Amino acid sequence: MSVEVTFPVMSAEDPTGEGVVGTWFVLDGEQVAEGQLIAEVQVDKVSADVEAPASGVLRHLVAEEATSNQGAGIAVIE
């Protein structure tokens, strides 16, 4: 069973607006533990940390420095 990792909604004014996946702290294909810090994202010069919602193998869906919509999937944990 896969668990989707989503870009956090950081803007109440534009909850589906774009942001940037700034840094992945875990490489694609690496094992992660639930609650582990896996990425940093940015919206309008405000950054937030993203934690793994489950344990498993992380698969990136969005590259580092690429844009994504808030609330959209940025990775999958298998």
Side-chain angles (χ1 to χ4, degrees):
M1 182 172 101
S2 296
V3 176
E4 185 177 48
V5 179
T6 58
F7 194 114
V9 176
M10 299 168 52
S11 172
E13 297 166 0
D14 188 11
T16 59
E18 287 187 341
V20 175
V21 176
T23 304
W24 283 108
F25 301 127
V26 179
L27 297 175
D28 187 60
E30 286 190 331
Q31 189 77 25
V32 296
E34 184 175 353
Q36 179 179 346
L37 183 61
I38 58 172
E40 180 183 63
V41 296
Q42 294 179 324
V43 173
D44 297 328
K45 298 187 181 186
V46 176
S47 63
D49 293 333
V50 178
E51 295 180 352
S55 297
V57 176
L58 183 70
R59 300 289 181 197
H60 297 180
L61 298 177
V62 177
E64 206 168 81
E65 298 300 324
T67 59
S68 178
N69 288 352
Q70 296 175 70
I74 58 171
V76 174
I77 298 175
E78 301 173 333

